[in-house]
């Protein structure tokens, strides 16, 4: 359905910040929930943050107070603002679309892209 391209990753020092944009194709962007996920080496992919079509948000406990998800429907783009980064945040970050948000989780997710690498290290 929706094709997504993540960008904005890179190497950042602990305590630093990054802003990840995810650009989506398709004319129906505004009706989808959007989420950011991450996968560290040797670990399962996990949901980091989700924003519903109406704008409500949910966050993983590990990033609450540090990360902010937002969307700009006019630009077909979802963002993840990451502040106070920790080495534990190092992972490949992916965005994806979903049909709905249920108890803070996305349902009906689409295909996965290549993601963008975030490395937090001194």
């Amino acid at each position: 359905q929706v094709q997504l391209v993540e960008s904005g990753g890179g190497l950042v020092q602990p305590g630093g910040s990054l802003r990840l944009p995810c650009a989506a194709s398709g004319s129906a962007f505004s009706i989808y929930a959007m989420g950011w996920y991450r996968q560290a080496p040797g670990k399962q992919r996990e949901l980091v943050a989700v924003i519903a079509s109406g704008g409500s948000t949910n966050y993983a406990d590990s990033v609450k107070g540090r990360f902010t998800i937002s969307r700009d429907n006019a630009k077909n783009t979802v963002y993840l603002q990451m502040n106070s980064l920790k080495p534990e945040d190092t992972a490949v970050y992916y965005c994806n679309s979903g049909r709905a948000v249920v108890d803070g989780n996305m349902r009906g997710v689409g295909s996965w892209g290549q993601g963008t690498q975030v490395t937090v290290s001194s």
Side-chain angles (χ1 to χ4, degrees):
Q1 292 181 311
V2 178
Q3 295 199 20
L4 306 166
V5 179
E6 307 95 338
S7 60
L11 176 64
V12 63
Q13 294 186 140
S17 298
L18 282 174
R19 179 176 166 89
L20 308 181
C22 174
S25 64
S27 60
F29 175 80
S30 63
I31 72 172
Y32 290 101
M34 297 295 298
W36 281 97
Y37 300 74
R38 67 186 181 188
Q39 187 168 27
K43 295 188 178 295
Q44 297 269 87
R45 182 154 44 212
E46 63 175 346
L47 180 64
V48 174
V50 61
I51 184 166
S53 60
S56 62
T57 58
N58 293 94
Y59 299 91
D61 288 342
S62 59
V63 308
K64 284 180 180 176
R66 300 189 297 121
F67 291 12
T68 303
I69 188 171
S70 62
R71 66 192 298 163
D72 186 339
N73 289 340
K75 296 182 178 179
N76 278 15
T77 302
V78 62
Y79 303 90
L80 186 67
Q81 177 67 48
M82 305 186 294
N83 299 326
S84 302
L85 283 161
K86 305 174 180 179
E88 308 94 271
D89 297 317
T90 296
V92 178
Y93 283 71
Y94 304 86
C95 65
N96 214 328
S97 61
R99 297 193 200 98
V101 179
V102 180
D103 294 331
N105 299 308
M106 285 225 303
R107 302 296 177 90
V109 300
S111 300
W112 299 102
Q114 69 174 357
T116 186
Q117 176 72 50
V118 172
T119 302
V120 184
S121 176
S122 58

